[in-house]
Structure formats: C-alpha cells, structure tokens
Amino acid sequence: MENLKSKVIIITGASSGIGEATAKLLAQQGAKVVLAARREDRLQTIVNDIKQDGGEAVYIPTNVASSEDMQKLAQFALQQYGRIDVLVNNAGIMPVSHLNELKIQEWDQMIDVNIKGVLYGIAAVLPTMREQKSGHILNVSSVVGYQVSPTAAVYSATKFAVRAISEGLRQEESPSSNIRSTIISPGLTDTELTDTISSPEIKAMASQMKSMAISPFSIARAIAYAINEPEDTGVNEIIIRPTIQP
Ligand code: NDP
C-alpha cells in the first residue's frame, strides 16, 4: 500500500462505525489520520489504539454542522502535517420517521449534518487542494441515495444530495485541479447509526435488520481501495452491501 504512506487524511464521524474502521485501516496502511467527531472521549481512545499499533493519528472535537468547526479542522490538519491529501466526509445521522409524524427538528438535523456537513467539509479543504493541484474527497452516501423507501424520505433526500454534490465536484474540479471525487454508498452496516432513531417501532425494525449487516471494515476497505488507486485513476462511485441484502 505504498500509495498511502505519506498521505494526510481527514475523516469525519471517526468516533464510531465506518469512520472508526476507516481511520484504523488507513493508519495501519501508513496514512497520517486526522479524526473528527463530537465525542472527544471516543476519539481519544481510538487515537490511543492507533498509536499503540504503531500508527500516526490526531483528533479534534468537531461538529460538522458548523462551518467554523470545519474550517478549524482543516487548519488543525495543516498545522499538524502541512498538507491535506484526502477528506472522507463520513459523518451522518439517520433519525428516520414517517413524514406525517412531522419531526421537523430531525429533518433539520439530517440536512445540517448529512448535507451541510459535506459542503462545509468541501469548503474547508478545497482551497488547499487546489493550491496543491491534488487532493481527494470521498463522500459517504448510501444505497438509499438511489432508492427511497417509507420512513426514509428525508434521509434518502440527504443521500441523493450527497451524490449530486460529489458528481458536481468531480465535473468541476477533476479535469482542472486534479482533485478526485468518490461516492461511497454502503448498504446495511453494523454500526451505531440506528441509535438516532427516535420512534421505538422504527428503531426495533431497524435493529432486526442488523442481523444482515456487514462489518464497517468492509466499507473501510472500499474507501482504502479508492484512495490507493494511482493519482490518474478516479474511482467515482462504489456501492457495497451485504450479499444477502435485497
Ligand atoms: P455511526 O452512528 O456509528 O457513526 C456516525 C458518526 O458520525 C459518528 O462518529 C458520529 O460521531 C458522527 N457524527 C454525527 N453527527 C455529527 C456531527 N454533528 N458532527 C460530527 N460528527 C458527527 O454510523 P455509521 O458509521 O454507520 O455512519 C457513517 C456514515 O455511513 C453516515 O454518513 C451514514 O449515513 C452512512 N451509512 C451507514 C449505513 C449503515 O448501515 N450503517 C448505510 C449507508 C450509509 P459523534 O456522535 O461523536 O459526533
């Protein structure tokens, strides 16, 4: 994995699930990883684990729904390591519900974290990557970024948006600035994502489906693959789901 050796990689939502697995895997492969999320205790423990395994990692508490926090995150990565090669926009929440429940606050939260968080991440790193004339932004969408189902209208909408933003970024920045853009779309993955569901019935249904879920390391390997491809090769989109998921 020679390609990863010198890379500085920011990962949002790195305090659990896919982000944690990605940080650990990329650090194992020799990257310098910058972990961001809100739960500082979790980030501290993961950074300690990575260092104990001989990896290089730092963290900064970050709310991706704050443009200011995302700017601070990028500045922190630059101060620590002098460049930003990759941003993995992974943080996300999934408080799904039926539209007629009118959980407007949860709709707002999903839009703030899942869409604005991705945009603020792009805004925070794009000037540096343009200056470097190289960079790679991976945005985590979902299989529901292709198909809507009941209770998931708003969550799906945010993941459709992530795909649109990623493709727009690719069209604008890849040919002119050599910045790669990748959409990562997981299916059911065994993480804490269903914890944010406030309706007990929907949460119970989602938990039942967990028996089908794959390891977050399956998604982390897909992320590592896209990053590890040579600079002249843009991996634009990967869908990874459990073999048995319909
Ligand atoms: P987890 O709940 O385990 O991880 C979500 C991460 O996002 C946590 O680290 C959490 O950290 C972080 N996060 C949430 N809100 C914020 C915020 N405002 N600011 C900063 N970080 C935040 O779930 P997953 O690992 O599954 O989720 C990762 C991504 O994968 C999400 O975008 C999700 O939509 C997507 N995905 C997941 C699937 C699955 O089946 N698990 C399927 C398809 C897509 P903290 O609370 O510490 O801030």
Side-chain angles (χ1 to χ4, degrees), residues 168-184:
L169 179 72
R170 185 192 70 75
Q171 290 180 15
E172 290 181 21
E173 293 299 328
S174 291
S176 59
S177 309
N178 199 33
I179 295 168
R180 299 190 289 175
S181 171
T182 304
I183 303 162
I184 300 287

Side-chain angles (χ1 to χ4, degrees), residues 217-237:
F217 282 95
S218 298
I219 316 304
R221 286 193 295 275
I223 291 172
Y225 158 72
I227 297 171
N228 271 305
E229 281 299 283
E231 289 273 318
D232 66 0
T233 305
V235 177
N236 301 141
E237 195 156 2

